[in-house]
């Protein structure tokens, strides 16, 4: 049925209304989350050489003609430039006009920047300091691109995979100025397609067969893992902070039941502006600082959770209860002219030659794991159980280094009777090869929460990928949960879990920035407190809402 619908849409262009539903001139209706995108009525300027974007329109936009002028003010490389995402469902579910100094291409993306089909291309682009006029027309499954009044691309997508959606202007490592924006947009006429768009969906998705990562038998096997950020830019957790996660608390802060069963301790920011996940990379002294923060103080870090469990297990009538703990492994890499620090008297090589870097990174990880295990044994926790390590990088590098040593890391972790966990971003490099990379369990990020232009279809495609490759799922929240739109997006995660069978019995991680759920628990606003209660009900199988169904 899905194939038939695609073919019908491809062969029969929807009838156009006689007048466009929207005529937009200027940038006043654009929206952005980037501080580098400065919007005025007459211009959109990307003020830093970066990746930044601004969007307009809605899922109801079907056919349109847009035109604008663009001036590249600074380009980071010959591949830098800009893209126009159109008929977009958000998150690289779209068509895209990609423009660089060396050429122009019209593409169909499939949910991630590394997965695209080139529909047509042109071998000349736009140059630094020169203003170009661009026009793009989309009608049915046919597209035309004009550069300075000359048609340079005429293309057709036989699948018509994206028959409707909004528009995004995106800078790609470039500083740009856009001017003279105009779009004439026609809304969806087909009743079935319009209904799908109104409910926030793209075309139907055929969900893959297969099983997501099941919860394993045993008292130390996790089901609901909450991410706990201990880092230089965040708070140092104390017992009162841990309590709303260890236990489900009443509005008067009284523990009523256990809540999350597993706590994943990780961090991003290190002292001095360095980072445990990306550049500029943390050095050995940062690793030691983080472990000191996690272990050394008997009132904070791991000890906060030790006490939160110990203080309540008799109150809750469960004296043998222990909470599970997973601890991050920072991503080992090095900054130019900044040595990592000696490991067993040797300065490890962490970049450059693939074989040498893989050996050096493995030596860092081995030292770190042994350091964690030594500190854990000395701490003598009575209420916490270490069950594994977590790989802090959210994708696998493309140089071939990671794939050389990660299987050895997994082997090393398992030799200590522990498991190796990972939570990559949506369709990140390596996500489908996780078993070969040495991981024991992987949870996929849908990344639906963080871009409100992404359609509900992303939750369905993420569930399909998880089924296809045997993954668990991450449920995500950011500070917008305290707004009506953000709240609905968070609830959509829970609804999707009920719709696609991973609400229970499947491994899940919960990202909630630093302490959103605790903030909700203590909020004096009933609608915010309700988010905390709903999350608890979800974990206990008592929140049963599903995603809306298309009639």
């Amino acid at each position: 049925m899905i194939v038939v619908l695609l073919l019908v849409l491809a062969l029969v262009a929807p009838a156009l209304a006689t007048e466009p539903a929207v005529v937009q001139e200027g940038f006043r209706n654009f929206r952005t989350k980037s501080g580098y995108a400065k919007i005025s009525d007459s211009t959109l300027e990307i003020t830093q050489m970066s990746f930044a974007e601004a969007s307009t329109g809605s899922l109801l936009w079907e056919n349109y003609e847009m035109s604008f002028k663009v001036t590249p003010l600074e380009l980071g490389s010959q591949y830098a430039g800009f893209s126009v995402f159109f008929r977009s469902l958000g998150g690289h579910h779209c068509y895209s006009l990609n423009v660089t100094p060396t050429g122009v291409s019209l593409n169909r993306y499939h949910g991630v920047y590394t997965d695209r089909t080139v529909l047509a291309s042109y071998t000349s682009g736009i140059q630094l300091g020169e203003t170009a006029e661009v026009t793009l027309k989309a009608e049915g499954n046919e597209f035309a691109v004009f550069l300075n009044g000359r048609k340079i691309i005429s293309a057709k997508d036989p699948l018509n995979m994206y028959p409707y959606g909004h528009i995004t202007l995106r800078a790609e490592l470039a500083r740009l100025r856009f001017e003279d924006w105009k779009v004439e947009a026609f809304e969806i006429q087909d009743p079935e397609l319009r209904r799908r768009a109104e409910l926030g969906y793209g075309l139907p998705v055929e969900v893959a067969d297969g099983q997501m990562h099941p919860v394993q038998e045993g008292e130390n096997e996790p089901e609901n893992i909450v991410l706990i950020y201990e880092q230089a830019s965040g708070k140092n957790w104390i017992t009162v902070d841990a309590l709303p996660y260890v236990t489900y608390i009443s509005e008067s802060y009284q523990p009523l039941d256990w809540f999350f069963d597993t706590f994943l301790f990780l961090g991003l920011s290190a002292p001095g502006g360095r980072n445990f996940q990306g550049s500029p990379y943390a050095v050995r002294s940062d690793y030691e600082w983080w472990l000191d923060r996690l272990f050394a103080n008997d009132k904070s870090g791991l000890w906060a959770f030790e006490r939160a469990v110990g203080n309540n297990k008799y109150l809750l009538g469960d004296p043998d209860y222990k909470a599970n703990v997973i601890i991050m492994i920072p991503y080992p890499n090095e900054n130019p002219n900044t040595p990592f620090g000696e490991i067993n008297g040797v300065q490890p090589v962490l970049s450059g030659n693939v074989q040498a870097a893989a050996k050096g990174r493995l030596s860092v990880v081995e030292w770190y794991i042994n350091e964690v295990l030594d500190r854990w044994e000395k701490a003598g926790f009575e209420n916490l159980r270490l069950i594994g390590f977590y790989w802090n990088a959210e994708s696998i590098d493309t140089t071939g280094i990671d794939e050389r040593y990660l299987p050895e890391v997994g082997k090393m972790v398992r030799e200590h009777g522990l498991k190796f966990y990972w939570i990559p971003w949506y369709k990140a490099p390596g996500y489908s090869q996780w078993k070969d990379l040495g991981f024991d369990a992987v949870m996929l990020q849908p990344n639906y929460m963080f871009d409100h232009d992404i359609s509900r279809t992303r939750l369905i495609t993420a569930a399909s990928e998880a089924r296809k490759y045997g993954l668990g799922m991450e449920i995500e929240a950011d500070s917008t949960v305290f707004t009506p739109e953000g709240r609905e997006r968070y609830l959509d995660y829970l609804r999707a879990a009920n719709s696609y069978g991973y609400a229970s019995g499947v491994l899940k991680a919960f990202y909630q920035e630093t302490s959103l759920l605790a903030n909700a628990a203590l909020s004096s606003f009933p609608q915010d407190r309700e988010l905390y209660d709903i999350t608890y009900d979800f974990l206990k199988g008592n929140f049963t809402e599903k995603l809306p169904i298309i009639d």
Side-chain angles (χ1 to χ4, degrees):
M1 179 179 178
I2 295 172
V3 174
V4 171
L5 178 57
L6 286 168
L7 289 173
V8 169
L9 289 170
L11 295 172
V12 182
L16 292 179
T18 55
E19 297 292 335
V22 176
V23 177
Q24 189 184 97
E25 296 187 34
F27 295 92
R28 71 179 72 89
N29 294 312
F30 274 70
R31 53 195 178 269
T32 184
K33 293 176 68 175
S34 172
Y36 297 144
K38 301 300 182 184
I39 298 173
S40 69
D41 187 30
S42 59
T43 63
L44 165 62
E45 186 158 347
I46 308 302
T47 59
Q48 298 286 331
M49 193 168 64
S50 64
F51 296 90
E53 59 187 45
S55 303
T56 190
S58 76
L59 288 184
L60 293 177
W61 285 17
E62 182 177 33
N63 297 311
Y64 35 72
E65 178 177 333
M66 70 187 86
S67 61
F68 57 90
K69 292 179 180 177
V70 58
T71 307
L73 304 174
E74 188 175 6
L75 298 171
S77 74
Q78 62 177 327
Y79 305 109
F82 70 93
S83 297
V84 183
F85 297 164
F86 64 100
R87 299 267 186 85
S88 176
L89 306 180
H92 282 87
H93 296 278
C94 62
Y95 297 109
S96 178
L97 178 69
N98 295 358
V99 182
T100 70
T102 59
V104 179
S105 63
L106 197 140
N107 311 273
R108 184 183 66 226
Y109 281 102
H110 307 105
V112 65
Y113 72 92
T114 54
D115 187 2
R116 66 170 177 158
T117 299
V118 178
L119 300 177
S121 62
Y122 182 70
T123 56
S124 180
I126 62 171
Q127 304 306 312
L128 182 65
E130 296 182 3
T131 299
E133 183 174 351
V134 179
T135 299
L136 190 154
K137 298 180 181 180
E139 183 173 339
N141 67 332
E142 297 183 353
F143 315 110
V145 179
F146 299 78
L147 183 62
N148 296 322
R150 178 187 173 196
K151 181 186 276 192
I152 60 170
I153 285 177
S154 181
K156 179 182 291 188
D157 179 15
L159 297 180
N160 200 17
M161 185 172 288
Y162 304 112
Y164 51 83
H166 53 74
I167 298 169
T168 296
L169 299 178
R170 175 180 167 86
E172 305 272 356
L173 199 61
R175 190 164 62 88
L176 304 160
R177 183 173 62 247
F178 295 94
E179 301 171 285
D180 294 351
W181 170 265
K182 182 177 180 180
V183 62
E184 295 183 352
F186 295 82
E187 290 191 351
I188 301 169
Q189 300 298 303
D190 181 272
E192 180 181 347
L193 290 184
R194 189 175 183 91
R195 176 63 173 159
R196 296 194 66 84
E198 288 172 340
L199 289 175
Y201 294 106
L203 291 181
V205 173
E206 188 170 345
V207 178
D209 293 330
Q211 185 180 26
M212 295 185 190
H213 197 286
V215 174
Q216 305 297 313
E217 294 183 3
E219 63 180 0
N220 64 336
E221 292 297 333
E223 179 170 0
N224 297 302
I225 305 168
V226 64
L227 278 60
I228 303 297
Y229 282 86
E230 275 282 7
Q231 55 191 23
S233 61
K235 66 181 180 182
N236 200 184
W237 289 70
I238 59 176
T239 303
V240 70
D241 300 319
L243 188 61
Y245 298 92
V246 171
T247 68
Y248 171 63
I249 61 171
S250 69
E251 294 182 33
S252 59
Y253 219 73
Q254 296 302 307
L256 302 175
D257 193 4
W258 299 120
F259 203 167
F260 292 98
D261 55 69
T262 304
F263 304 93
L264 194 171
F265 290 86
L266 71 164
L268 299 178
S269 58
R274 291 180 294 274
N275 194 282
F276 292 114
Q277 187 182 85
S279 177
Y281 298 100
V283 297
R284 173 175 171 150
S285 60
D286 298 324
Y287 286 41
E288 292 171 329
W289 167 87
W290 191 76
L291 292 177
D292 287 344
R293 182 179 172 111
L294 197 63
F295 282 96
N297 189 322
D298 66 357
K299 295 181 180 179
S300 61
L302 286 165
W303 286 101
F305 289 78
E306 165 77 5
R307 295 178 186 279
V309 175
N311 291 347
N312 292 284
K313 62 184 184 179
Y314 292 100
L315 177 65
L316 295 176
D318 196 359
D320 297 326
Y321 182 82
K322 289 187 177 184
N324 295 325
V325 168
I326 301 169
I327 294 178
M328 77 159 177
I329 299 175
Y331 186 62
N333 207 334
E334 60 188 346
N335 307 302
N337 304 316
T338 305
F340 175 82
E342 290 187 358
I343 300 296
N344 300 321
V346 177
Q347 188 66 244
V349 174
L350 303 181
S351 62
N353 178 271
V354 171
Q355 186 173 353
K359 180 180 178 181
R361 292 184 186 189
L362 184 61
S363 71
V364 169
V365 172
E366 183 175 19
W367 162 79
Y368 174 83
I369 288 175
N370 289 334
E371 187 71 18
V372 170
L373 295 176
D374 183 58
R375 293 185 185 221
W376 185 274
E377 184 177 0
K378 290 177 180 177
F381 296 117
E382 297 180 355
N383 302 303
L384 302 179
R385 179 192 299 112
L386 181 64
I387 65 167
F389 285 92
Y390 166 72
W391 190 243
N392 207 34
E394 295 180 358
S395 66
I396 302 304
D397 76 346
T398 57
T399 65
I401 298 174
D402 287 346
E403 64 189 41
R404 279 181 173 256
Y405 71 97
L406 271 176
E408 291 300 314
V409 175
K411 181 180 178 181
M412 190 184 305
V413 169
R414 286 184 288 276
E415 286 175 349
H416 293 288
L418 304 172
K419 290 187 176 181
F420 194 24
Y421 297 89
W422 188 36
I423 311 175
W425 43 263
Y426 180 74
K427 296 180 80 172
Y431 85 104
S432 60
Q433 296 86 37
W434 62 275
K435 291 181 181 179
D436 294 335
L437 291 167
F439 295 106
D440 295 295
V442 171
M443 293 145 279
L444 183 65
Q445 301 178 32
N447 301 135
Y448 170 74
M449 188 76 205
F450 314 120
D451 180 351
H452 289 197
D453 285 332
I454 294 179
S455 75
R456 278 174 164 156
T457 298
R458 169 60 70 82
L459 294 171
I460 304 172
T461 58
S464 182
E465 293 299 304
R467 284 188 181 181
K468 184 176 181 180
Y469 295 109
L471 312 175
M473 292 288 287
E474 181 171 75
I475 291 171
E476 299 159 325
D478 65 15
S479 59
T480 66
V481 295
F482 300 121
T483 68
E485 185 180 0
R487 174 190 175 93
E488 281 303 303
R489 293 186 83 81
Y490 176 66
L491 295 180
D492 276 347
Y493 278 87
L494 309 186
R495 294 164 180 148
N498 288 327
S499 296
Y500 293 97
Y502 57 94
S504 64
V506 170
L507 184 65
K508 295 178 293 298
F510 288 74
Y511 169 83
Q512 43 99 55
E513 289 190 347
T514 302
S515 52
L516 288 178
L517 288 175
N519 294 342
L522 302 177
S523 176
S524 59
F525 296 101
Q527 68 272 23
D528 295 345
R529 165 70 199 201
E530 188 182 29
L531 289 172
Y532 180 75
D533 297 332
I534 287 174
T535 304
Y536 169 77
D537 286 342
F538 172 76
L539 265 60
K540 301 302 176 180
N542 297 321
F543 177 82
T544 58
E545 288 184 21
K546 294 184 178 182
L547 290 174
I549 298 172
I550 306 295
D551 294 330

